[in-house]
Amino acid sequence: MVNDKIVNYKALGKRIQQRRQELGLSQQATSEKLDLSTSFFSRVERGEKVASLETLIKIANVFEFSLDFLLQDSLDKTVSDDLQIEVAQIFTDKTPEQTKRLMDWLKMLSENIDRLG
C-alpha cells in the first residue's frame, strides 16, 4: 500500500510555532505579515490545516529560513533523503522569479498528473 501522505503536518506546525515564538511574534502579527487570517494560521500551527506551497514559502521568508529547514522534521520517512536533496538542488541558486515560475509549473503538473500519464 502506498502512503499518499508524506508530510507530518503536526510536526510542521510545531516547527512554525517554535520559530514564531523564537522571533517574539504573535500569531496575529505573523498572520498579518503573511496576509492570512489568524484563525487559518493558528490551525496551520496545530497541524489541522494544510498550507499551500506558496504559503510555506512566505513563512520561510518571514522567518528567514529555507524550506528544507522548515520541512526537515515533517517529511515522512517514505520520502528518501536522495529525493529531498534532489528537490532542494533544483531550487538552489534560483532567483525569486525563477522560483515562482518553477512553483507555478509544479502546481500545474500536480493538478494534471493523472492526465499526463
Side-chain angles (χ1 to χ4, degrees), residues 4-115:
D4 291 335
K5 185 176 177 184
I6 61 171
V7 177
N8 179 333
Y9 294 103
K10 290 202 184 291
L12 175 62
K14 185 173 181 171
R15 181 172 289 279
I16 291 169
Q17 180 184 45
Q18 181 180 20
R19 180 63 176 159
R20 176 182 58 76
Q21 291 171 343
E22 287 171 2
L23 294 172
L25 295 170
S26 68
Q27 284 184 338
Q28 182 175 354
T30 305
S31 299
E32 289 172 6
K33 286 181 179 229
L34 298 169
D35 196 28
L36 300 172
S37 74
T38 303
S39 172
F40 177 79
F41 183 72
S42 173
R43 293 181 75 191
V44 168
E45 279 193 348
R46 291 192 310 266
E48 297 171 359
K49 279 287 190 181
V50 177
S52 69
L53 191 52
E54 181 179 325
T55 297
L56 291 177
I57 291 169
K58 286 182 184 179
I59 291 169
N61 286 334
V62 166
F63 290 171
E64 299 178 349
F65 56 42
S66 64
L67 272 179
D68 59 335
F69 179 80
L70 178 64
L71 295 171
Q72 73 183 6
D73 292 335
S74 60
L75 294 178
D76 188 32
K77 300 305 179 202
T78 59
V79 177
S80 73
D81 289 340
D82 291 339
L83 179 60
Q84 292 177 49
I85 291 168
E86 187 176 347
V87 170
Q89 287 174 341
I90 290 170
F91 286 91
T92 300
D93 299 328
K94 299 295 187 276
T95 66
E97 178 60 31
Q98 289 171 326
T99 299
K100 182 185 179 321
R101 288 186 5 229
L102 278 170
M103 294 309 308
D104 290 343
W105 275 99
L106 284 172
K107 287 176 189 175
M108 188 227 15
L109 288 170
S110 177
E111 291 167 1
N112 295 288
I113 190 101
D114 291 332
R115 290 189 297 190

